[in-house]
């Protein structure tokens, strides 16, 4: 697939990617805290904040595809051919510890809810307006589906841990990427790739546009393609971001004027996500070639970003159940509750990540 050493990422670009990974997780946390505390009182920014969270997840997809592409190139160069066993071990060590802990945590908090919730059950004591959830629900089929990364395909995603929807997608991105180095020389690998992809798309048609987005990020990691599109990145990025903004405005119009803020349909999620994701890919390549500048912020947040992403939602719901007074003092109290909850969750997850996520200070291209 490649015979020369892949381009090495600069130290500055690696720090930029780490910062973006950490900040994206914090943006997702903010989006969910906003829905939990602010939305019941004020819906004026509701649709925009939800799409802000979606945009952060698309940054994860763009980073993932790009960095897996870099990782696979290095894998092939170091072993002279693609070492599938090393690839699987590397992915498993990265994904499984925080993920399995998140499932156990979700189950544990569900069991504790009747004992610690002010309602004496899994229900929230005060539910009104546009609530993120009205109860801490956990369904067995969703739990089992999530355990095997089949949520979104043969089972719903856990109500008590909604962000796991994207993790199941990402795991299957990794599975399909494992076929890619063999496609040119193996008819069996090509058949396996097509079969897995077709089954996944039949089970969930929205998987296809997200996989194509991820695959675009993967392809963008190859120097030969980068050189072909380098002078086209700025107009492409501008176009994708403009389309994303138009779709966000249409989403807000649908929610506020047509549905009169009584239901959120999310009709524009997929096209918005694809456009914003393609824009992120163009921007990342511009950062790599120093056509754009981004000053890295809170680089160390990358060390707990994955743990934060997979654990914050059940913890947030648990806070809502245990402290109903967070919604008893109007919008001002809700803003304070949002800030306090974010600080508490970030602090807790920072401690958990010390043993859930490997703290290797190597270049980011070798850790994804």
């Amino acid at each position: 697939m490649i015979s020369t050493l892949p381009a090495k990422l600069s130290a500055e670009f690696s720090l930029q990617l780490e910062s973006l990974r950490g900040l994206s997780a914090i943006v997702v946390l903010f989006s969910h805290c906003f829905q939990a505390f602010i939305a019941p009182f004020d819906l004026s920014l509701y649709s925009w904040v939800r799409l802000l969270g979606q945009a952060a997840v698309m940054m994860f997809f763009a980073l993932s595809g790009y960095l897996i592409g870099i990782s696979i190139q290095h894998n092939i160069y170091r072993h002279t051919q693609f070492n599938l066993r090393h690839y699987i071990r590397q992915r498993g060590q990265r994904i499984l510890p925080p993920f399995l802990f998140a499932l156990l945590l979700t189950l544990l908090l569900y069991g504790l809810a009747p004992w610690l919730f002010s309602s004496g059950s899994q229900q929230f004591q005060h539910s009104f307006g546009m609530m993120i959830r009205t109860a801490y629900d956990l369904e067995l089929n969703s739990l089992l589906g999530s355990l095997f990364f089949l949520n979104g395909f043969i089972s719903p995603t856990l109500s008590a841990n909604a962000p796991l929807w994207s993790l199941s997608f990402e795991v299957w991105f990794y599975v399909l990427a494992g076929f890619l180095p063999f496609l040119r020389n193996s008819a069996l690998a090509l058949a396996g790739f097509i079969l897995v992809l077709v089954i996944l798309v039949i089970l969930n048609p929205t998987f296809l546009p997200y996989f194509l987005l991820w695959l675009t990020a993967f392809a963008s990691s190859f120097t030969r393609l980068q050189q072909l599109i380098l002078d086209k990145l700025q107009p492409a990025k501008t176009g994708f971001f403009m389309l994303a903004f138009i779709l966000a405005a249409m989403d807000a119009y649908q929610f506020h004027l047509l549905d009169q803020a009584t239901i959120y349909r999310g009709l524009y999620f997929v096209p918005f996500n694809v456009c914003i994701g393609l824009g992120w890919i163009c921007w990342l390549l511009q950062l790599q070639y120093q056509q754009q500048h981004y000053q890295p912020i809170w680089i160390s947040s990358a060390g707990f970003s994955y743990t934060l992403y997979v654990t914050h939602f059940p913890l947030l719901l648990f806070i809502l159940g245990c402290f109903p007074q967070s919604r008893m003092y109007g919008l001002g109290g809700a803003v304070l509750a949002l800030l306090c909850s974010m600080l508490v969750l970030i602090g807790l997850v920072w401690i958990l990540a010390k043993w859930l996520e490997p703290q290797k200070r190597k270049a980011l291209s070798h850790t994804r």
Side-chain angles (χ1 to χ4, degrees), residues 115-140:
W115 299 91
L116 298 178
F117 277 22
S118 57
S119 66
S121 68
Q122 278 91 9
Q123 300 292 316
F124 296 154
Q125 184 172 338
H126 300 293
S127 296
F128 57 92
M130 188 70 72
M131 292 286 293
I132 191 170
R133 294 289 187 273
T134 58
Y136 191 114
D137 293 323
L138 190 148
E139 312 80 17
L140 180 60

Side-chain angles (χ1 to χ4, degrees), residues 256-334:
H256 289 286
L257 298 180
L258 298 184
D259 293 333
Q260 299 180 342
T262 58
I263 186 173
Y264 193 82
R265 301 177 186 275
L267 297 176
Y268 298 96
F269 267 21
V270 174
F272 170 83
N273 285 343
V274 170
C275 288
I276 201 75
L278 291 172
W280 289 142
I281 294 169
C282 294
W283 185 58
L284 291 176
L285 290 179
Q286 287 185 311
L287 289 178
Q288 180 182 351
Y289 284 89
Q290 299 181 335
Q291 294 181 349
Q292 293 284 308
H293 178 71
Y294 164 69
Q295 180 61 43
I297 302 171
W298 200 0
I299 298 167
S300 61
S301 61
F304 59 80
S305 60
Y306 176 39
T307 301
L308 179 64
Y309 185 76
V310 295
T311 62
H312 78 272
F313 200 84
L315 289 168
L316 175 60
L317 295 185
F318 202 73
I319 290 174
L320 288 175
C322 291
F323 301 100
Q325 58 269 32
S326 63
R327 300 182 298 284
M328 294 174 60
Y329 298 98
L331 184 58

Side-chain angles (χ1 to χ4, degrees), residues 3-22:
S3 56
T4 59
L5 178 65
K8 185 177 180 180
L9 304 186
S10 68
E12 180 184 10
F13 185 47
S14 294
L15 293 178
Q16 289 172 332
L17 297 184
E18 291 219 350
S19 172
L20 290 171
R21 187 172 68 181

Side-chain angles (χ1 to χ4, degrees), residues 1-3 74-83:
M1 194 172 180
I2 57 174
S3 56
H74 280 278
N75 180 312
I76 295 172
Y77 181 81
R78 286 195 301 268
H79 300 101
T80 67
Q81 60 182 358
F82 183 57
N83 188 322

Side-chain angles (χ1 to χ4, degrees), residues 137-349:
D137 293 323
L138 190 148
E139 312 80 17
L140 180 60
N141 67 322
S142 298
L143 180 64
L144 293 176
S146 298
L147 179 61
F148 296 102
F149 304 106
L150 293 172
N151 55 298
F153 298 101
I154 65 172
S155 76
T157 297
L158 280 169
S159 172
N161 203 337
L164 294 184
W165 79 266
S166 66
L167 184 61
S168 66
F169 275 35
E170 186 137 355
V171 166
W172 287 106
F173 296 160
Y174 296 156
V175 171
L176 290 167
F179 285 97
L180 295 179
F182 304 108
L183 295 187
R184 180 180 297 178
N185 301 315
S186 173
L188 182 61
L190 178 60
F193 175 86
I194 294 173
L195 179 62
V196 172
L197 179 58
V198 168
I199 291 174
L200 292 172
V201 172
I202 289 174
L203 292 173
N204 187 345
T206 61
F207 178 79
L208 182 59
Y210 288 124
F211 175 63
L212 293 177
L213 170 65
W214 189 92
L215 193 62
T216 300
F218 178 95
S220 73
S221 69
F222 289 81
T223 303
R224 183 176 299 178
L225 179 61
Q226 291 172 357
Q227 297 300 327
L228 291 175
I229 64 175
L230 199 57
D231 60 343
K232 303 177 180 67
L233 291 175
Q234 184 60 34
K237 182 189 71 175
T238 302
F240 289 134
F241 282 159
M242 287 182 62
L243 281 173
F245 179 79
I246 292 171
L247 289 165
M250 293 171 62
D251 184 75
Y253 177 79
Q254 174 77 41
F255 177 64
H256 289 286
L257 298 180
L258 298 184
D259 293 333
Q260 299 180 342
T262 58
I263 186 173
Y264 193 82
R265 301 177 186 275
L267 297 176
Y268 298 96
F269 267 21
V270 174
F272 170 83
N273 285 343
V274 170
C275 288
I276 201 75
L278 291 172
W280 289 142
I281 294 169
C282 294
W283 185 58
L284 291 176
L285 290 179
Q286 287 185 311
L287 289 178
Q288 180 182 351
Y289 284 89
Q290 299 181 335
Q291 294 181 349
Q292 293 284 308
H293 178 71
Y294 164 69
Q295 180 61 43
I297 302 171
W298 200 0
I299 298 167
S300 61
S301 61
F304 59 80
S305 60
Y306 176 39
T307 301
L308 179 64
Y309 185 76
V310 295
T311 62
H312 78 272
F313 200 84
L315 289 168
L316 175 60
L317 295 185
F318 202 73
I319 290 174
L320 288 175
C322 291
F323 301 100
Q325 58 269 32
S326 63
R327 300 182 298 284
M328 294 174 60
Y329 298 98
L331 184 58
V335 172
L336 180 61
L338 179 148
L339 295 174
C340 291
S341 296
M342 287 189 66
L343 290 174
V344 168
L345 291 175
I346 289 173
L348 177 61
V349 168

